[in-house]
Amino acid sequence: MKTRVGVLYGGKSPEHQVSLSTAMAVMNAIDPHKFDVIPIYITPEGQWIKGEQLTGPIEEIKQLQFTSAATALIPVSLNQVPAADSAAGGNEETIDVIFPLLHGPNGEDGTVQGLLEILNIPYVGNGVLASAVGMDKVMMKNLFAQAGLRQAKYIAVTKYDWQKRGETVYDRIERELGYPCFVKPANAGSSVGISKCKQRGDLKAAFIEAFQYDRKIIIEEAIVGREIEIGVIGNDEPICSVVGEIVPKKEFYDYEAKYEDGQTELIIPADVTKEQYETIKQMAITAFQALDLSGLARVDFFLAEDGAVYINEVNTMPGFTPYSMFPLLWQHSGVPYPELIERLIALALERHQEKQTITYTFKKEKR
């Protein structure tokens, strides 16, 4: 019997379009001899719509943007999607595993993962806590600090604090971090809302921009050096890929550099020493375990001019097209794109099976 995979994509998120590109790539690459694929689209407004089971390749992204209210899906009925032959008298079948290809808030942040946990449906990728912490850059960096990982200095600011004490906040940033520095929404990905600041005027504009996407932002000191990334897959015994380097033509790796201008150069494998690779690998695994990650992650680093390695962040659902860094890292590590998808599904089922051994009731023994 083939495994029935529900591919969940789109989402109520600034990264909706990124998710569509990822979903198209995965659905076209997944082995049809091993998996039946059911597309499940979340519109920008948050409506869930089920598509027909795939029978061939997807030619255009617009084929994934369903609009029919007749196929609207109530999320709590997710594990009762009709089988392909149900109209002809077949029985309803449950989805075996969900592949949530959602980027950013309302998908990558633990919200959808919580729903899937309640429904007891296996799903690819990180759990509720790991997804939430991996999305919130402030909480992530707090845990990095606790794990003893070297990272850039940072300051967290809430919108309330900024509105009440704006000038005091700017003074603190200039005193503790200096320029240049980066301003980022705490809960966003794909470089959405990020600005590089060189003076107070830049800082003020960056705060306005970042607070459009979250009520909490993070300001980080700039580390002069190279941008290095590594892929991690696994559950209790994670393994690492080769490392890659991002060489943006722009001043920093923003949203346009990632997805639109096509000018960013990816170097795989990156030119690092054996010692540097081992340091990056060990720090990546430490971060993976400190955040209780599972399934997959891309871990991003800065390699400073003096050779010091600084962890930047983890991405719990990295870009997943065949041309994205994460799959390319694994391709260069001997794991082709279709096999990578298959491994992640297997890891999801393995983790789910382990959870079924947990006891959720308590019976006090009589003495």
Side-chain angles (χ1 to χ4, degrees):
M1 295 227 3
K2 291 194 283 187
T3 301
R4 287 168 57 81
V5 181
V7 178
L8 190 59
Y9 61 94
K12 193 175 180 181
S13 163
E15 299 171 72
H16 184 94
Q17 286 298 126
V18 179
S19 176
L20 293 177
S21 298
T22 298
M24 179 175 171
V26 169
M27 287 190 275
N28 281 341
I30 198 167
D31 188 343
H33 300 293
K34 297 180 180 179
F35 304 99
D36 286 330
V37 177
I38 301 166
I40 303 170
Y41 174 51
I42 304 177
T43 71
E45 295 74 36
Q47 185 180 35
W48 294 45
I49 303 177
K50 177 183 71 68
E52 296 293 329
Q53 183 174 305
L54 291 189
T55 56
I58 301 163
E59 304 294 338
E60 298 178 287
I61 282 180
K62 66 181 181 181
Q63 294 176 245
L64 298 176
Q65 297 171 289
F66 310 127
T67 57
S68 174
T71 54
L73 180 68
I74 300 173
V76 293
S77 65
L78 194 60
N79 58 349
Q80 292 296 326
V81 175
D85 61 349
S86 60
N91 297 320
E92 286 196 344
E93 296 181 7
T94 59
I95 289 176
D96 296 310
V97 61
I98 293 288
F99 204 139
L101 295 170
L102 299 163
H103 299 294
N106 301 307
E108 192 181 345
D109 57 359
T111 51
V112 165
Q113 289 76 12
L115 170 66
L116 298 175
E117 290 285 353
I118 290 171
L119 296 176
N120 200 32
I121 302 176
Y123 58 94
V124 171
N126 292 277
V128 178
L129 177 63
S131 297
V133 173
M135 174 60 63
D136 190 312
K137 294 179 177 64
V138 176
M139 298 305 296
M140 179 200 310
K141 289 180 178 294
N142 289 345
L143 288 178
F144 286 168
Q146 188 175 15
L149 295 168
R150 182 192 286 121
Q151 59 184 326
K153 292 184 290 186
Y154 64 96
I155 293 172
V157 178
T158 64
K159 192 170 188 178
Y160 177 85
D161 285 341
W162 172 58
Q163 291 173 334
K164 292 292 183 180
R165 295 174 282 273
E167 294 302 319
T168 302
V169 169
Y170 299 143
D171 289 342
R172 182 189 174 197
I173 291 167
E174 291 173 340
R175 182 175 64 253
E176 297 184 17
L177 304 183
Y179 296 112
C181 62
F182 286 93
V183 176
K184 307 175 182 179
N187 289 276
S190 296
S191 298
V192 171
I194 294 182
S195 303
K196 184 175 183 179
C197 304
K198 299 179 180 178
Q199 57 181 328
R200 183 167 289 207
D202 298 339
L203 204 59
K204 292 180 177 180
F207 271 52
I208 294 171
E209 171 73 10
F211 276 126
Q212 293 184 70
Y213 301 101
D214 197 8
R215 58 168 291 278
K216 180 172 62 178
I217 65 174
I218 187 167
I219 305 91
E220 302 170 359
E221 70 168 330
I223 301 295
V224 178
R226 299 157 60 191
E227 296 187 45
I228 304 293
E229 300 184 345
I230 193 169
V232 185
I233 59 173
N235 290 329
D236 295 315
E237 297 182 351
I239 60 174
C240 293
S241 69
V242 300
V243 294
E245 180 175 0
I246 294 170
V247 185
K249 302 300 182 184
K250 304 177 74 171
E251 192 166 13
F252 71 96
Y253 196 36
D254 62 6
Y255 184 93
E256 288 74 20
K258 283 186 177 181
Y259 302 113
E260 295 178 0
D261 64 16
Q263 297 298 308
T264 298
E265 183 181 4
L266 304 182
I267 302 173
I268 307 173
D271 183 14
V272 298
T273 67
K274 182 178 179 181
E275 291 75 17
Q276 287 169 336
Y277 173 74
E278 289 300 324
T279 298
I280 291 167
K281 177 181 173 182
Q282 189 54 55
M283 289 177 70
I285 290 176
T286 298
F288 194 91
Q289 295 173 334
L291 273 60
D292 195 25
L293 303 186
S294 57
L296 75 161
R298 193 194 69 230
V299 189
D300 302 348
F301 294 87
F302 296 118
L303 183 57
E305 293 178 328
D306 63 0
V309 177
Y310 294 78
I311 191 168
N312 180 26
E313 63 182 14
V314 301
N315 192 311
T316 58
M317 182 48 70
F320 212 89
T321 73
Y323 311 105
S324 300
M325 177 65 93
F326 182 81
L328 287 173
L329 289 171
W330 283 106
Q331 179 181 315
H332 283 78
S333 303
V335 184
Y337 191 59
E339 183 183 334
L340 179 60
I341 295 170
E342 190 171 339
R343 283 200 192 186
L344 293 176
I345 291 172
L347 286 167
L349 295 171
E350 173 192 283
R351 185 189 58 183
H352 181 76
Q353 188 62 39
E354 180 188 31
K355 288 180 181 177
Q356 304 316 297
T357 66
I358 297 173
T359 299
Y360 293 98
T361 58
F362 174 70
K363 294 181 181 180
K364 188 174 181 180
E365 293 183 6
K366 294 181 180 180
R367 294 183 179 179

